[in-house]
Amino acid sequence: MSERLSSVQPHVLGLFRIVIGLLFACHGAASLFGVLGGAHGGGTVPVGAWPGWYAAVIQLVCGGLVLLGAGTRSAAFLASGSMAYAYFVHHQADALWPLQNNGESSALFCWAFLLLVFTGPGAFALDRPAGGRRAGVEATPAAPANRV
């Protein structure tokens, strides 16, 4: 069973990356363009407003990059940091626990993106190395030939 699960791990990781990237990009699009219900129940975030507009740009751009698997680790690192900032600056002040301070999505996105920083993009990524190598597995240099 474990062997079968391990064999599909890059594909499941790729699907995880795609879903997380899409959801994050949707938050940015909602805030910037008013689609999908808009920012905070309607409308858009004013251009240049700190920190909302900058957070929305990070969400849209990093979410799109993670979705495509292009520069995944860097985009996920920036996205994770932005969600940590959102949680500790905007949510933590209201209450200790995410369930109490409405910071669940910030906390979950932060940890999901941090996971992608360390695991890499998985399958289906634009920046996945060619040549059939599994995601997250580096090529090992060839052993030197024995000379007699």
Side-chain angles (χ1 to χ4, degrees):
M1 176 78 163
S2 180
E3 204 171 294
R4 272 193 233 162
L5 292 174
S6 294
S7 70
V8 296
Q9 181 179 353
H11 297 91
V12 174
L13 182 60
L15 292 174
F16 174 79
R17 173 189 45 80
I18 290 167
V19 169
I20 293 297
L22 176 65
L23 292 173
F24 203 59
C26 286
H27 277 279
S31 296
L32 292 173
F33 308 119
V35 297
L36 305 169
H40 308 292
T44 61
V45 175
V47 175
W50 176 258
W53 185 82
Y54 296 94
V57 170
I58 289 171
Q59 290 168 351
L60 183 62
V61 173
C62 290
L65 289 171
V66 168
L67 168 68
L68 296 172
T72 303
R73 290 179 191 239
S74 299
F77 183 76
L78 181 58
S80 179
S82 74
M83 289 295 96
Y85 176 87
Y87 183 77
F88 287 112
V89 171
H90 295 286
H91 296 286
Q92 186 73 52
D94 295 338
L96 178 62
W97 297 102
L99 186 61
Q100 296 172 314
N101 63 29
N102 294 319
E104 290 171 295
S105 62
S106 295
L108 286 170
F109 274 126
C110 178
W111 285 104
F113 284 120
L114 189 63
L115 178 67
L116 289 172
V117 170
F118 287 94
T119 62
F124 320 118
L126 292 180
D127 61 1
R128 184 165 180 234
R133 288 191 347 219
R134 282 187 20 206
V137 178
E138 296 297 322
T140 55
N146 289 338
R147 301 207 175 180
V148 187

